[in-house]
């Protein structure tokens, strides 16, 4: 049966929104929605889509859209509905609504829905209002108008979202072959009538006798994984299998895997591992001579209500963004101050090292063993500064341009080359902005998108509708993207935190 879908404004803010319904349905855009769309000011990608809808309506022509409708590519019919007059008894006046925050646009759409419902022909099964706004749908329900969220803007529920991991039972022979040859043909794992394993899936393999192994399916073969394949920096090892999977993704060259997505509960070490991998592969910081990147970049979204106030915040862009990147900066400080990890020396440390070397050569009384360590103690900085000054390695690498905070609202037109770019709290980014974010990747760069869909704070977003989930579902199985989903029980914080996560 044919259904009539009456669209609210938010339903039209994605590309080709009017063609997201079945081929035998009628899609109706009320005049109120058109007027609201004309005055809409949102994110750049949403503005672009809003203008595209208005352009489409102009090209088709309002007379045609009102009188007969326009047959779209998918076979559905697109129409425009004028406001329903209330005089002369042509339409019943809406009863007073208990919701005070509903706009006049909503009330006009309600009137259209009521009129369509009252006058629908026998071949019309139902009239359904499509809106992202909870209050609008509640108001519609009060008026006995069926209302739904736009399903094409919703992604799977949290439990069904893509994790990039699979647990498989295998024969002992498979495990033995994997350990002997470090790789194995996946054909024996392809169970008839089961879901295919997507490329770039991380595998937890266990035999019927209890033997186990970790692997990575790249679309052709299954490779065995262990900690020896990470070797990022001295003194650092993954604490669980998901951290191992994440670190393996992060050390793959950007020419092979330029995009990594990690989702999971708080305290699972997503940000910490990403920063360690970034610093360990950045020139002047890494102890490796084969470092891939020139700098580490970090971003975190500002909540919507703060965006318009950023110009009023004192200081430069770094000062404005510090409140939103505090978690990243805390992790970076902890990593850089643990002197086993990296060899970075700031200017004062380098001068102090040369001074000590000259003094040792002249007196020939001190051992040179300390010269062989990968990182000079940050306390040595005091030899060229006052006794009360404190070393600040994070501040130094920021001053040297090796570590930068980037505003997500100022990305357009930028391209990042030879950069390790970490975007934290991505669940608070709108889906429409993910395209802008991902297209910033230049030659030799890797982008890491982190977050927890269950902790979405930004207005208009939820665990099923946010940039992190959108990117994850859009890129699952793509050969250039690795994904890792962390479980709550993989939190590396105190056992108390694990209990809190279970309660909330």
């Amino acid at each position: 049966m044919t259904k009539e879908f009456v669209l609210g404004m938010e339903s039209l803010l994605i590309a080709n929104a009017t063609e997201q319904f079945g081929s035998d349905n009628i899609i109706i855009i009320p005049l109120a929605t058109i007027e609201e769309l004309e005055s809409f000011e949102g994110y750049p990608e949403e503005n672009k889509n809003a203008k595209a809808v208005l352009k489409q309506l102009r090209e088709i022509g309002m007379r045609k859209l009102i009188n007969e409708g326009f047959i779209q590519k998918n076979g559905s019919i697109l129409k425009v509905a004028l406001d329903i007059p209330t005089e002369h008894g042509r339409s019943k006046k809406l009863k007073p609504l208990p919701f005070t925050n509903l706009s006049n646009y909503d009330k006009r759409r309600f009137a259209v829905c009521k009129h369509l419902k009252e006058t629908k022909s026998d071949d019309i099964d139902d009239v359904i209002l499509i809106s992202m706004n909870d209050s609008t749908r509640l108001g519609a329900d009060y008026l006995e108008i069926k209302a739904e969220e736009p399903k094409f803007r919703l992604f799977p529920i949290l439990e069904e979202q893509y994790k990039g991991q699979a647990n498989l039972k295998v024969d002992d022979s498979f495990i033995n072959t994997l350990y002997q040859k470090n790789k194995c043909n996946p054909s024996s794992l392809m169970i008839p009538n089961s879901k295919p394993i997507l490329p770039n899936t991380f595998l937890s393999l266990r035999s019927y006798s209890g033997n186990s192994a970790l692997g990575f399916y790249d679309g052709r073969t299954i490779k065995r994984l262990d900690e020896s394949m990470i070797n990022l920096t001295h003194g650092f090892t993954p604490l669980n299998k998901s951290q191992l999977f994440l670190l393996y993704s992060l050390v793959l060259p950007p020419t092979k895997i330029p995009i990594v997505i990690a989702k999971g509960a708080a305290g699972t070490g997503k940000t910490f591992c990403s920063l360690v991998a970034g610093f360990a592969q950045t020139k002047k910081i890494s102890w490796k001579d084969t470092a891939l990147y020139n700098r580490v970049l970090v971003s975190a979204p500002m909540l919507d209500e703060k965006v318009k106030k950023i110009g009023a915040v004192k200081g430069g862009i770094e000062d404005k963004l510090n409140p939103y990147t505090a978690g990243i900066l805390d992790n970076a400080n902890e990593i850089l101050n643990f002197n086993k990890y990296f060899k970075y020396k700031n200017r004062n440390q380098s001068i102090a090292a040369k001074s000590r070397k000259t003094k040792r050569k002249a007196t020939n009384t001190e051992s040179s063993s300390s010269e062989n360590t990968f990182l000079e103690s940050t306390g040595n900085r005091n030899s060229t500064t006052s006794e009360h000054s404190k070393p600040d390695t994070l501040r130094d690498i920021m001053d040297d341009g090796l570590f930068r905070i980037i505003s997500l609202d100022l990305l357009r037109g930028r391209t990042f080359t030879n950069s390790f770019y970490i975007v934290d709290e991505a669940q608070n980014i709108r889906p429409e902005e993910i395209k802008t974010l991902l297209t910033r990747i230049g030659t030799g760069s890797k982008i890491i998108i982190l977050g927890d869909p269950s902790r979405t704070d930004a207005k208009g977003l939820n665990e099923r509708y946010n940039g992190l989930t959108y990117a994850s579902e859009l890129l699952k199985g793509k050969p250039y993207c690795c994904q890792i989903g962390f479980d709550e029980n993989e939190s590396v914080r105190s056992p108390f935190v694990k209990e809190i996560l279970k309660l909330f």
Side-chain angles (χ1 to χ4, degrees):
M1 294 289 285
T2 300
K3 295 179 181 179
E4 290 183 324
F5 292 96
V6 180
L7 304 190
M9 185 198 67
E10 312 96 329
S11 307
L12 295 169
L13 298 181
I14 70 164
N16 304 315
T18 61
E19 296 182 17
Q20 302 298 319
F21 302 87
S23 59
D24 56 348
N25 294 314
I26 300 173
I27 292 79
I28 296 173
I29 304 179
L31 186 61
T33 296
I34 295 174
E35 292 178 6
E36 191 175 12
L37 207 60
E38 286 177 334
S39 60
F40 174 74
E41 291 184 8
Y43 290 87
E45 198 67 26
E46 291 177 321
N47 289 337
K48 175 185 172 183
N49 293 330
K51 290 177 181 178
V53 172
L54 295 172
K55 180 183 177 183
Q56 179 190 15
L57 298 181
R58 287 195 303 270
E59 290 176 347
I60 296 171
M62 287 295 287
R63 187 177 295 277
K64 180 179 179 66
L65 288 165
I66 293 169
N67 295 331
E68 55 194 274
F70 172 76
I71 300 176
Q72 301 188 100
K73 292 179 182 178
N74 69 341
S76 60
I77 299 175
L78 178 64
K79 301 187 76 172
V80 167
L82 299 177
D83 286 343
I84 307 303
T86 56
E87 66 274 13
H88 308 301
R90 291 180 62 186
S91 179
K92 295 179 181 178
K93 190 173 182 180
L94 294 174
K95 60 183 177 181
L97 290 163
F99 306 99
T100 58
N101 60 338
L102 290 173
S103 68
N104 185 52
Y105 296 122
D106 279 327
K107 294 173 183 177
R108 290 162 63 188
R109 279 188 285 265
F110 290 159
V112 168
C113 290
K114 291 289 283 186
H115 179 74
L116 290 173
K117 189 175 178 181
E118 293 165 2
T119 59
K120 71 181 180 69
S121 57
D122 293 338
D123 61 335
I124 301 296
D125 182 47
D126 212 343
V127 176
I128 303 171
L129 175 64
I130 303 298
S131 175
M132 286 286 291
N133 190 287
D134 291 332
S135 295
T136 300
R137 295 196 304 275
L138 288 171
D141 180 67
Y142 179 76
L143 294 171
E144 299 180 334
I145 298 169
K146 190 172 182 179
E148 297 177 356
E149 290 180 278
K151 294 178 181 177
F152 53 87
R153 294 193 72 171
L154 292 177
F155 309 108
I157 60 174
L158 192 61
E159 292 76 16
E160 297 177 2
Q161 289 177 16
Y162 184 64
K163 291 187 175 182
Q165 297 190 38
N167 299 310
L168 300 177
K169 281 279 189 180
V170 297
D171 293 330
D172 280 295
S173 59
F174 190 93
I175 298 286
N176 294 335
T177 302
L178 199 58
Y179 273 99
Q180 290 168 6
K181 298 182 178 180
N182 285 324
K183 63 180 181 180
C184 208
N185 191 313
S187 58
S188 59
L189 294 181
M190 304 307 174
I191 303 170
N193 301 321
S194 65
K195 286 185 179 181
I197 302 174
L198 295 176
N200 293 354
T201 297
F202 291 95
L203 304 174
S204 298
L205 306 168
R206 182 173 291 276
S207 72
Y208 296 100
S209 64
N211 295 323
S212 62
L214 299 177
F216 177 68
Y217 175 58
D218 62 6
R220 298 179 301 278
T221 61
I222 294 176
K223 300 176 181 178
R224 187 174 70 86
L225 297 185
D226 60 38
E227 291 182 10
S228 66
M229 299 176 181
I230 307 303
N231 193 29
L232 276 170
T233 183
H234 294 280
F236 179 82
T237 56
L239 299 179
N240 52 53
K241 68 174 184 178
S242 291
Q243 285 194 5
L244 174 63
F245 294 159
L246 175 57
L247 290 164
Y248 179 76
S249 303
L250 297 175
V251 300
L252 290 173
T255 51
K256 184 176 182 180
I257 301 293
I259 304 172
V260 176
I261 298 174
K263 301 184 294 183
T268 49
K270 303 182 299 294
T271 305
F272 192 90
C273 289
S274 299
L275 284 168
V276 167
F279 292 144
Q281 297 179 89
T282 297
K283 298 171 184 177
K284 297 185 181 181
I285 302 177
S286 173
W287 57 271
K288 290 187 173 184
D289 296 329
T290 56
L292 297 172
Y293 308 102
N294 294 333
R295 56 184 177 169
V296 175
L297 307 176
V298 296
S299 292
M302 295 177 290
L303 298 182
D304 289 357
E305 59 267 27
K306 300 292 184 182
V307 172
K308 295 180 181 179
K309 300 179 181 179
I310 188 170
V313 179
K314 293 182 179 180
I317 190 68
E318 182 185 311
D319 300 306
K320 299 174 189 288
L321 295 174
N322 271 346
Y324 307 99
T325 55
I328 300 175
L329 298 179
D330 288 345
N331 277 294
N333 256 321
E334 182 178 346
I335 293 165
L336 293 168
N337 289 333
F338 185 23
N339 61 17
K340 287 193 294 183
Y341 285 177
F342 304 106
K343 70 172 183 181
Y344 176 77
K345 299 177 184 179
N346 61 27
R347 184 181 301 175
N348 288 332
Q349 288 174 315
S350 299
I351 294 172
K354 289 180 181 179
S355 175
R356 288 192 299 274
K357 187 175 180 180
T358 302
K359 186 175 180 180
R360 283 196 298 270
K361 187 175 180 180
T363 61
N364 197 26
T365 59
E366 293 184 341
S367 170
S368 61
S369 61
S370 62
E371 292 293 328
N372 296 324
T373 59
F374 285 104
L375 178 72
E376 289 284 343
S377 170
T378 52
N380 290 336
R381 186 178 180 182
N382 291 339
S383 61
T384 56
T385 55
S386 69
E387 293 182 1
H388 301 289
S389 65
K390 295 182 179 180
D392 190 348
T393 308
L394 177 59
R395 180 72 266 166
D396 291 335
I397 67 169
M398 294 180 79
D399 290 343
D400 283 351
L402 303 175
F403 184 73
R404 294 267 178 91
I405 299 175
I406 304 295
S407 170
L408 289 173
D409 299 290
L410 303 173
L411 286 181
R412 281 188 170 263
R414 303 192 68 177
T415 301
F416 303 123
T417 59
N418 301 113
S419 301
F420 192 91
Y421 186 16
I422 302 170
V423 181
D424 208 2
E425 303 294 341
Q427 75 276 1
N428 288 324
I429 299 174
R430 297 190 66 80
E432 295 81 7
E433 294 305 291
I434 281 294
K435 178 182 176 182
T436 300
L437 177 63
L438 292 175
T439 52
R440 300 309 95 196
I441 306 173
T443 304
S445 288
K446 184 187 284 279
I447 186 168
I448 301 89
I449 303 175
L450 311 173
D452 179 2
S454 68
R455 299 176 65 204
T456 304
D457 304 312
K459 181 181 179 182
L461 302 182
N462 56 51
E463 65 181 33
R464 296 186 64 187
Y465 179 70
N466 61 77
L468 176 64
T469 303
Y470 176 58
S472 175
E473 294 300 315
L474 191 70
L475 297 176
K476 64 183 180 183
K478 299 298 182 184
Y480 48 81
C481 176
C482 280
Q483 299 197 42
I484 304 91
F486 286 76
D487 293 326
E488 288 183 356
N489 59 10
E490 292 179 307
S491 174
V492 294
R493 293 179 183 171
S494 70
F496 170 74
V497 173
K498 293 181 182 180
E499 290 301 317
I500 291 297
L501 289 172
K502 291 177 182 178
L503 291 172
F504 290 88

